[in-house]
């Protein structure tokens, strides 16, 4: 009788699954890195004796579950859930929650609407070869495992504020009309991850730079125009982000007010893009000198068969509270090759320089290899 009950339960579960979700999928991804760097300057010191080398488990290993179905009205429904291989314990805390996404999307003639834990409109619209190119660097930041950056100064954001964060939000993307499309997203609280104890408003400004980094009511709006003529493709994206800061101990902090844009050009197997983000003095004390927070990147990529090669330059700048200008310059050269079966190998050379108040604080270069497996 017990076995019969188990069998009936399995049948009921199977039938329910087939009725509720017409299609389900399960996929995964693993990545591994090895690298070595030569760091000539560490926090302004040349004779420091620190050169990092070793292996790195990567950041984005995960398992992804998805489903899709249709409502009686004809509206398509799909959902995604990522489960990371990090448990937030021990020495893995830095990689906790980096790829968690749990959201549902409704699509139809009106476009698509998502609700849940997902990236925002800027991440969906802007061209970002820094992330989509070979080894996903420099955007992935895994190369930083093999160098020691200056933690005593701020150098500006390489991407728009709150880029690739996955707080609970509502997201809308339009369909494409004669090459034009737009997307918008709204996050009530950037710290809200879906757990009840994270819906408690904004935390105080923290860190050495007194930046109010967790905004409320973060709204993004981005528009895109895409065209192709004689084999040449062009994509132009422009957008704005706003959000509310607050007051701490009598200090009023600037609300989030940021612009970001990108331009991408493609021709055959070649692609190049330029991207810039400018958040000014957002998040810093009103009336202070800290601000001018900007980041730019320019990349070129060429694909041939199963191989790709790319060069990127990424620059940031920031004016600190003492009105001193800080800058960073990161140069990467990357290549990868798809071996088949979801396996890809890659190689990266990187050169990083940070300058604070006209003094070089960080100067390092190195190599990194990548092994990634999708299944």
């Amino acid at each position: 009788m017990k076995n019969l009950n188990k069998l009936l339960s399995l049948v009921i579960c199977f039938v329910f699954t087939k009725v509720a979700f017409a299609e389900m999928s399960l996929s995964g991804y693993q990545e591994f890195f090895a690298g070595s760097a030569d760091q000539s300057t560490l926090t302004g010191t040349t004779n420091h004796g620190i050169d990092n080398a070793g292996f790195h488990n990567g950041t984005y290993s995960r398992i992804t579950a998805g489903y899709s179905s249709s409502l009686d009205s004809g509206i398509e429904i799909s959902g995604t859930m990522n489960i990371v291989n990090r448990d937030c314990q021990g020495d893995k805390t830095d990689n906790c929650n980096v790829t968690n996404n749990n959201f549902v999307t409704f699509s139809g003639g009106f476009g698509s609407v998502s609700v849940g834990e997902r990236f925002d409109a800027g991440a969906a619209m802007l061209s970002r070869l820094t992330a989509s190119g070979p080894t996903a660097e420099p955007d992935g930041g895994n190369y930083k495992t093999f160098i020691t950056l200056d933690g005593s100064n701020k150098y500006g954001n390489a991407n728009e504020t709150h880029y690739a964060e996955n707080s609970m939000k509502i997201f809308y993307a339009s369909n494409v009309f004669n090459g034009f499309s737009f997307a918008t997203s709204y996050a009530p609280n950037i710290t809200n991850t879906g757990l009840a104890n994270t819906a408690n408003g904004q935390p105080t400004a923290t860190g050495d730079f007194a930046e109010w980094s967790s905004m409320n009511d973060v709204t993004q709006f981005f528009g895109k125009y895409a065209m192709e003529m004689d084999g040449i493709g062009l994509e132009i994206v422009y957008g704005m982000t706003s959000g509310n800061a607050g007051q701490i101990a009598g200090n009023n902090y600037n609300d989030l007010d940021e612009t970001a844009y990108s331009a991408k050009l493609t021709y055959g197997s070649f692609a190049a893009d330029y991207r810039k983000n400018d958040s000014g003095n957002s998040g810093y004390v009103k009336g202070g000198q800290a601000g001018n927070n900007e980041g730019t990147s320019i990349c070129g990529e060429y694909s041939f068969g199963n191989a790709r090669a790319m060069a990127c330059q990424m620059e940031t700048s920031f004016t600190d509270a003492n009105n001193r200008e800080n800058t960073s310059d990161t140069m990467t050269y990357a290549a990868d090759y798809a071996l088949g079966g979801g396996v890809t190998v890659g190689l990266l050379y990187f050169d990083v320089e940070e300058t604070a108040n006209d003094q070089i604080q960080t100067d390092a270069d190195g190599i990194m290899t990548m092994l990634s497996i999708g299944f």
Side-chain angles (χ1 to χ4, degrees):
M1 187 65 180
K2 185 181 295 185
N3 290 334
L4 179 59
N5 288 336
K6 288 183 178 179
L7 179 60
L8 288 173
S9 297
L10 288 173
V11 170
I12 292 172
C13 181
F14 175 76
V15 171
F16 176 77
T17 301
K18 294 293 286 184
V19 171
F21 307 120
E23 297 182 12
M24 299 186 69
S25 63
L26 187 66
S27 60
Y29 176 79
Q30 288 178 290
E31 60 181 9
F32 305 94
F33 298 91
S36 178
D38 178 14
Q39 183 149 357
S40 59
T41 306
L42 172 69
T43 60
T45 303
T46 56
N47 299 316
H48 53 80
I50 295 178
D51 285 323
N52 295 336
F55 292 97
H56 177 44
N57 247 340
T59 305
Y60 301 106
S61 295
R62 60 197 183 264
I63 295 175
T64 302
Y67 63 84
S68 62
S69 187
S70 299
L71 304 181
D72 292 341
S73 61
I75 294 175
E76 298 292 325
I77 178 174
S78 61
T80 298
M81 177 180 288
N82 283 336
I83 303 173
V84 299
N85 72 337
R86 304 302 191 204
D87 59 5
C88 310
Q89 297 177 3
D91 63 353
K92 301 296 188 281
T93 54
D94 288 340
N95 287 330
C96 176
N97 296 329
V98 290
T99 58
N100 285 355
N101 284 281
N102 178 25
F103 63 93
V104 60
T105 302
F106 300 87
S107 303
F110 54 85
S112 62
V113 177
S114 296
V115 179
E117 183 184 326
R118 62 156 298 154
F119 294 163
D120 53 29
M125 298 288 279
L126 287 166
S127 176
R128 210 179 307 265
L129 287 178
T130 53
S132 62
T135 72
E137 300 291 334
D139 190 87
N142 288 291
Y143 71 93
K144 296 178 183 178
T145 302
F146 307 106
I147 60 177
T148 304
L149 296 172
D150 175 25
S152 59
N153 293 284
K154 184 174 177 62
Y155 292 93
N157 296 337
N159 292 288
E160 64 274 16
T161 306
H162 306 310
Y163 161 64
E165 64 81 25
N166 55 343
S167 62
M168 297 291 290
K169 60 176 60 73
I170 299 174
F171 173 96
Y172 172 76
S174 74
N175 292 322
V176 180
F177 304 98
N178 296 321
F180 289 96
S181 60
F182 68 91
T184 184
S185 60
Y186 171 74
N189 176 1
I190 291 299
T191 64
N192 183 204
T193 64
L195 297 175
N197 62 358
T198 65
N200 56 359
Q202 300 159 306
T204 58
T206 59
D208 297 334
F209 311 105
E211 177 186 4
W212 193 297
S213 57
S214 297
M215 305 285 181
N216 277 358
D217 301 317
V218 175
T219 304
Q220 287 195 341
F221 185 90
F222 279 81
K224 176 189 289 188
Y225 176 69
M227 62 165 288
E228 183 175 343
M229 181 179 296
D230 297 329
I232 300 175
L234 176 65
E235 289 184 4
I236 299 175
V237 179
Y238 181 86
M240 297 170 289
T241 304
S242 63
N244 296 326
Q247 183 189 81
I248 301 174
N251 290 322
N252 290 302
Y253 287 77
N254 291 300
D255 291 338
L256 177 59
D257 183 9
E258 182 175 34
T259 60
Y261 57 88
S262 68
K264 182 180 181 181
L265 185 70
T266 58
Y267 180 72
S269 299
F270 175 77
D273 75 352
Y274 174 84
R275 179 178 46 80
K276 180 173 182 176
N277 49 274
D278 183 354
S279 61
N281 57 6
S282 299
Y284 293 92
V285 175
K286 289 185 176 181
Q289 299 184 92
N292 299 323
N293 191 342
E294 297 182 1
T296 62
S297 68
I298 182 169
C299 300
E301 177 187 87
Y302 184 73
S303 303
F304 42 100
N306 291 345
R308 300 183 299 168
M310 185 177 72
C312 276
Q313 183 176 28
M314 185 172 68
E315 297 179 332
T316 67
S317 61
F318 179 76
T319 301
D320 67 18
N322 296 313
N323 200 32
R324 298 177 300 190
E325 185 179 9
N326 302 336
T327 62
S328 76
D329 188 349
T330 301
M331 196 74 199
T332 59
Y333 302 90
D336 64 12
Y337 185 82
L339 301 173
V343 180
T344 300
V345 293
L347 177 66
L348 173 78
Y349 170 79
F350 57 88
D351 185 282
V352 179
E353 185 175 291
E354 294 178 323
T355 303
N357 194 27
D358 295 324
Q359 181 179 1
I360 296 177
Q361 298 294 317
T362 303
D363 190 359
D365 62 284
I367 59 172
M368 184 181 77
T369 60
M370 179 198 74
L371 171 65
S372 67
I373 305 98
F375 56 90

